[in-house]
């Protein structure tokens, strides 16, 4: 279900405020087989945790629209102009978000996800026009609010062939735990399939290079964020992850291994986490708060 209130006057080109308040509701089952498939994709022995509830970050497997082929755009995403507004920019990326885990989300449960567009803001950056869309998601199961999330989506202008890539900031130092991740095309393809993510930069090397001008296939931001949450759980066994905030800083590619790292935060029961590019740059930064 999608609802929106029409604007009384024609908006300015960068005014997409009519989309604010638009809602969408999706219902489905938290299928254990899909969670088991992600565990296999990540080369895990089984679903982490107690095996009865979803680990942090794994809710991104569910409630994703699988649209008809005729409704897919050239980039593999659903065509613009549905729930998310058509802002007139060709490139769409998941820039970051904030997730609060209020209660465990049981495997096998019937659940509902209600999404609301809370903000649309146009800006100008070094790469041209940008439009940021913030979406609030709330997932309920059995009448209980389990997961609450704010998702930041950024729309950008088309990539310029030959333009130099920005140099990422250096990753933090002083990691107390560091793990290597070796990405490959099969990992990216399987994660795309499990999350119904058709964006071709993750599995179509020719498209990634020739159309969006990346050097190779791009690792999904949500996949990196999921790996960071798994690292956090291993750092603090016995505690429940309550809140996770993350922001993508630079892309990661299948060309070389990268590292995910963590160290204690400045407050009790917190962690600072990040993902490093192969050259030591900051690819993603995140922070976690735990509860007993």
């Amino acid at each position: 279900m999608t609802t929106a209130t029409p604007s009384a006057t024609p908006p300015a080109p960068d005014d997409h405020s009519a989309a604010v308040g638009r809602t969408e509701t999706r219902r489905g089952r938290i299928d254990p087989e899909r969670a088991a498939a992600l565990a296999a994709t990540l080369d895990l022995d089984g679903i982490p945790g107690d095996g009865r509830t979803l680990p942090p970050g794994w809710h991104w497997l569910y409630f994703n629209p699988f649209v008809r082929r005729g409704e897919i755009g050239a980039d593999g995403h659903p065509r613009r102009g549905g729930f998310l507004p058509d802002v007139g920019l060709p490139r769409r990326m998941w820039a970051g978000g904030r997730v609060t885990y209020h209660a465990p989300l049981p495997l096998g449960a019937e659940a509902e996800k209600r999404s609301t567009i809370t903000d649309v803001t146009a800006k100008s950056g070094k790469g041209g026009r940008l439009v940021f869309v913030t979406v609030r998601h709330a997932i309920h199961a059995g009448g209980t609010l389990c997961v609450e999330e704010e998702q930041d989506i950024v729309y950008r202008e088309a990539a310029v062939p030959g333009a130099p890539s920005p140099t990422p900031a250096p990753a933090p130092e002083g990691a107390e735990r560091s793990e290597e991740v070796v990405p490959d095309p099969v990992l990216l393809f399987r994660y795309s399939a499990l999350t119904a993510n058709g964006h071709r930069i993750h599995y179509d090397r020719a498209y990634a290079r020739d159309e969006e001008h990346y050097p190779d296939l791009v690792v999904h931001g949500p996949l990196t964020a999921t790996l960071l949450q798994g690292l956090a759980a291993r750092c603090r066994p016995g505690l429940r992850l309550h809140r996770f905030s993350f922001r993508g800083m630079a892309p990661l590619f299948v060309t070389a291994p990268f590292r995910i790292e963590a160290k204690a935060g400045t407050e009790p029961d917190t962690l600072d986490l990040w993902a490093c590019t192969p050259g030591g740059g900051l690819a993603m930064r995140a922070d976690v708060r735990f509860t007993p």
Side-chain angles (χ1 to χ4, degrees):
M1 177 181 69
T2 302
T3 60
T5 302
S7 176
T9 58
D14 279 336
D15 181 8
H16 303 283
S17 58
V20 175
R22 185 180 296 170
T23 63
E24 178 181 71
T25 300
R26 296 184 178 274
R27 299 176 180 86
R29 179 171 177 262
I30 307 302
D31 183 8
E33 291 188 5
R34 179 163 293 201
L38 180 59
T41 296
L42 299 180
D43 206 19
L44 303 174
D45 292 334
I47 300 170
D50 61 13
R52 300 187 302 272
T53 59
L54 274 182
W58 291 38
H59 65 286
W60 291 323
L61 291 173
Y62 303 95
F63 308 105
N64 301 310
F66 207 98
V67 303
R68 296 175 56 177
R69 286 180 62 198
E71 299 172 5
I72 296 173
D75 60 359
H77 280 307
R79 292 187 186 277
R80 290 155 176 77
F83 170 64
L84 292 172
D86 184 355
V87 300
L89 294 171
R91 303 172 74 194
R92 183 179 115 184
M93 302 175 66
W94 191 343
R98 297 150 297 284
V99 188
T100 301
Y101 299 99
H102 293 284
L105 190 55
L107 288 166
E110 296 294 330
E112 175 184 281
K113 178 181 179 182
R114 183 176 178 85
S115 303
T116 305
I117 296 175
T118 60
D119 187 65
V120 183
T121 301
K123 297 182 179 181
S124 294
K126 293 181 180 179
R129 286 181 61 225
L130 302 168
V131 175
F132 292 87
V133 179
T134 302
V135 185
R136 179 185 177 273
H137 304 288
I139 301 176
H140 290 78
T144 298
L145 175 62
C146 299
V147 181
E148 194 171 19
E149 177 178 3
E150 285 185 324
Q151 178 186 3
D152 300 325
I153 301 168
V154 60
Y155 292 86
R156 305 171 60 187
E157 294 184 2
V160 178
S165 300
T167 301
E173 298 180 350
E176 298 170 12
R177 182 158 183 163
S178 180
E179 297 179 1
E180 184 180 70
V181 179
V182 183
D184 61 59
V186 176
L187 170 65
L188 270 57
F189 171 79
R190 290 176 67 169
Y191 190 79
S192 289
L194 286 170
T195 56
N197 184 342
H199 197 182
R200 293 167 63 184
I201 62 172
H202 303 303
Y203 60 87
D204 185 338
R205 181 172 275 124
Y207 175 86
R209 288 175 172 172
D210 299 340
E211 299 298 327
E212 299 211 21
H213 305 290
Y214 289 113
D216 213 312
L217 298 176
V218 181
V219 178
H220 311 67
L223 174 57
T224 304
T226 298
L227 295 172
L228 286 172
Q229 290 175 83
L231 174 65
R234 291 188 291 277
C235 288
R236 296 292 186 270
L239 296 180
R240 185 172 68 85
L241 196 154
H242 176 60
R243 184 171 171 82
F244 176 77
S245 302
F246 71 103
R247 181 183 177 189
M249 308 299 291
L252 293 165
F253 305 100
V254 297
T255 48
F258 62 91
R259 303 199 73 82
I260 53 175
E261 300 186 327
K263 66 179 179 180
T266 56
E267 299 181 16
D269 294 331
T270 65
L271 281 177
D272 295 332
L273 303 108
W274 59 91
C276 305
T277 69
L282 180 60
M284 180 174 288
R285 64 188 312 167
D287 60 80
V288 163
R289 180 173 294 276
F290 295 92
T291 186

